[in-house]
């Protein structure tokens, strides 16, 4: 079947993925594999822009991210899964793109402004050149594969806009080499964490794909509920309760309506409601979690997937770089 185009997306290896990542990103990526030619990149160089002083955990984080991806349905028979730093061509293109990218474009990027305001600056030297150039590297990641579509979260839109601007400027000087990629936003409702805020590793409220069923049950049990519903019989407000969000995500519609009514009338108590939400969650995510557990015990396989991905990615990236060197009269050609 003819594909609709080529996708590239990526993620920094910064720790275990949680249900928010799964519902917000991975499920979506996995579903696109039938329609698009897919490249998924573990962006370890990007992780260095804010964490260059702690690289000792990088190999493990890369492997664990690959495990999370494979468990979530990214399929090495249909997609190329690879590690950014294993495809050196990205660095070369980053360098060349940095020549055509005005510093002012990078300084006004909202993610950069945000990062420098919250910089973890271990030696007080200020933001690094690599951090400023983060979007240039991301542009290189995307266009070196001539990707047409980049499925990302809203936070990445400024980077996609910059990528398009860099492509226009580059093509203007050197000929029509790269397509302008489009961002594809996933329609996605926020997944709440155990404290009711958006699920995030940094809030300590996450349910990870690597959690065991017991850990999931324990976390769900401790989940924040409507503070006005203290005991059985008190009427609750399901729309303000994260446990109800789990019923909505993983339960069927008819049962959700019953739960809503039971909570509002006070007949349904939080303990029972949480128990059922846990069951539904484990029913839906159990297979992913089980697969994750198996893959984590078979790292030889996971490393093999990344080794194969590296070869496939390099082939495409190398062809693009040949074209770029020729267009720019570099390397004596
Ligand atoms: N910047 C992205 C993030 O933080 C990760 C990333 C790196 C990426 N390279 C990419 C995303 C290329 C899309 C395309 O999530």
């Amino acid at each position: 079947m003819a594909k609709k185009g080529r996708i590239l997306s990526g993620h920094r290896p910064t720790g275990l993925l949680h249900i928010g990542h799964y519902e917000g990103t991975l499920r979506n990526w996995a579903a696109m594999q039938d329609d698009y030619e897919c490249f998924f990149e573990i962006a370890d160089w990007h992780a260095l822009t804010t964490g260059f002083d702690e690289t000792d955990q990088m190999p493990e984080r890369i492997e664990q991210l690959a495990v999370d991806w494979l468990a979530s349905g990214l399929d090495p028979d249909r997609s190329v899964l690879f590690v950014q730093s294993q495809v050196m061509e990205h660095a070369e293109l980053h360098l060349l793109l940095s020549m055509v990218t005005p510093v002012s474009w990078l300084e006004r990027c909202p993610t950069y402004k945000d990062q420098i305001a919250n910089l973890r600056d271990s030696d007080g030297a200020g933001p690094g050149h690599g951090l400023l150039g983060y979007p240039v590297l991301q542009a290189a990641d995307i266009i070196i594969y001539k990707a047409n579509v980049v499925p990302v979260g809203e936070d990445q839109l400024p980077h996609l806009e910059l990528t398009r601007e860099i492509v226009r400027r580059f093509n203007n000087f050197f000929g029509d080499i790269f397509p302008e990629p489009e961002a594809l936003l996933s329609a996605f409702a926020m997944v709440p964490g155990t404290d009711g805020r958006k699920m995030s590793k940094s809030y300590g409220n996450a349910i990870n794909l690597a959690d065991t069923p017991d850990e999931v049950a324990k976390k769900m049990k401790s989940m924040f509920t409507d503070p006005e519903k203290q005991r059985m019989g008190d009427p609750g407000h399901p729309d303000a309760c994260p446990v109800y969000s789990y019923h909505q995500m993983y339960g069927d519609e008819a049962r959700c309506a019953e739960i809503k009514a039971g909570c509002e009338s006070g007949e349904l108590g939080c303990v029972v409601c949480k128990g059922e939400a846990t069951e539904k969650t484990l029913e839906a995510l159990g297979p992913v979690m089980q697969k994750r557990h198996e893959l984590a015990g078979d790292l030889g396989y996971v490393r093999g997937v990344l080794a194969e991905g590296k070869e496939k990615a390099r082939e495409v990236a190398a062809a693009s770089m040949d074209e770029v060197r020729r267009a720019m009269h570099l390397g004596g050609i």
Side-chain angles (χ1 to χ4, degrees):
M1 190 187 69
K3 303 270 176 170
K4 286 191 204 158
R6 186 177 282 173
I7 276 180
L8 178 127
S9 199
H11 207 283
R12 284 167 296 149
T14 50
L16 295 172
L17 298 190
H18 52 62
I19 302 184
H21 293 120
Y22 180 71
E23 295 299 337
T25 306
L26 287 165
R27 197 191 264 285
N28 195 30
W29 289 3
M32 297 178 91
Q33 295 177 109
D34 284 332
D35 295 333
Y36 293 88
E37 219 187 319
C38 295
F39 288 77
F40 297 115
E41 170 195 278
I42 298 183
D44 54 344
W45 280 336
H46 275 112
L48 298 182
T49 56
T50 51
F52 60 85
D53 52 350
E54 43 177 45
T55 55
D56 49 328
Q57 290 178 36
M58 196 70 95
E60 194 190 334
R61 286 185 175 170
I62 289 172
E63 272 170 12
Q64 291 302 315
L65 182 54
V67 169
D68 277 327
W69 279 4
L70 291 166
S72 302
L74 300 192
D75 172 2
D77 289 334
R78 289 183 291 164
S79 297
V80 180
L81 276 56
F82 69 98
V83 179
Q84 184 182 38
S85 67
Q86 294 184 350
V87 185
M88 253 59 80
E89 286 81 358
H90 290 233
E92 185 182 357
L93 185 57
H94 166 250
L95 177 102
L96 297 175
L97 294 181
S98 77
M99 305 300 168
V100 304
T101 308
V103 172
S104 62
W105 289 6
L106 300 172
E107 281 174 336
R108 66 164 193 250
C109 182
T111 50
Y112 177 67
K113 290 195 214 159
D114 222 52
Q115 292 275 13
I116 59 176
N118 300 302
L119 197 66
R120 187 179 56 77
D121 194 359
S122 52
D123 60 1
H129 174 221
L131 183 62
L132 181 66
Y134 186 115
V136 184
L137 180 57
Q138 186 163 344
D141 292 346
I142 296 166
I143 69 177
I144 206 164
Y145 300 100
K146 302 194 176 182
N148 324 96
V149 177
V150 186
V152 282
E154 209 166 352
D155 61 314
Q156 296 297 311
L157 289 182
H159 295 166
L160 259 293
E161 207 34 64
L162 262 170
T163 299
R164 293 162 59 85
E165 282 175 299
I166 293 171
V167 165
R168 283 198 285 270
R169 202 163 144 84
F170 184 93
N171 283 352
N172 210 17
F173 288 119
F174 303 111
D176 243 349
I177 296 184
F178 296 114
E180 272 182 52
E182 306 267 353
L184 188 79
L185 278 183
S186 52
F188 163 60
M190 190 261 287
V191 175
T194 51
D195 60 0
R197 292 185 292 171
K198 180 182 156 104
M199 188 176 285
S200 159
K201 180 169 115 86
S202 55
Y203 292 159
N205 65 1
I207 300 175
N208 294 326
L209 298 178
D211 286 345
T212 62
D214 281 350
E215 285 168 324
V216 175
K218 207 165 138 211
K219 287 182 179 177
M220 298 279 295
K221 213 173 190 173
S222 74
M223 192 169 277
F224 171 89
T225 50
D226 179 1
E228 288 177 36
K229 186 170 166 62
Q230 290 292 341
R231 56 190 70 78
M232 183 82 181
D234 291 349
H237 306 86
D239 290 324
C241 177
V243 179
Y244 186 61
S245 302
Y246 282 76
H247 285 290
Q248 288 177 308
M249 281 192 293
Y250 299 125
D252 63 78
E253 232 172 281
R255 184 61 193 141
C256 263
E258 285 171 15
I259 285 166
K260 188 173 166 71
C263 175
E264 282 171 345
S265 73
E267 262 160 71
L268 177 66
C270 292
V271 175
V272 173
C273 175
K274 276 179 174 175
E276 190 176 325
T278 304
E279 247 169 63
K280 293 272 162 59
T281 303
L282 285 173
E283 240 171 68
L285 296 183
V288 174
M289 291 171 161
Q290 175 60 29
K291 187 164 178 206
R292 195 199 185 285
H293 179 71
E294 286 162 19
L295 286 161
D298 192 3
L299 290 177
Y301 167 76
V302 176
R303 288 180 196 132
V305 167
L306 294 177
E308 205 179 300
K310 164 186 163 178
E311 297 306 324
K312 291 185 190 159
R314 285 193 87 166
E315 206 175 298
V316 179
S320 292
M321 286 318 295
D322 276 348
E323 214 180 324
V324 168
R325 284 185 218 112
R326 196 160 293 135
M328 294 179 77
H329 309 291
L330 296 170
I333 53 177

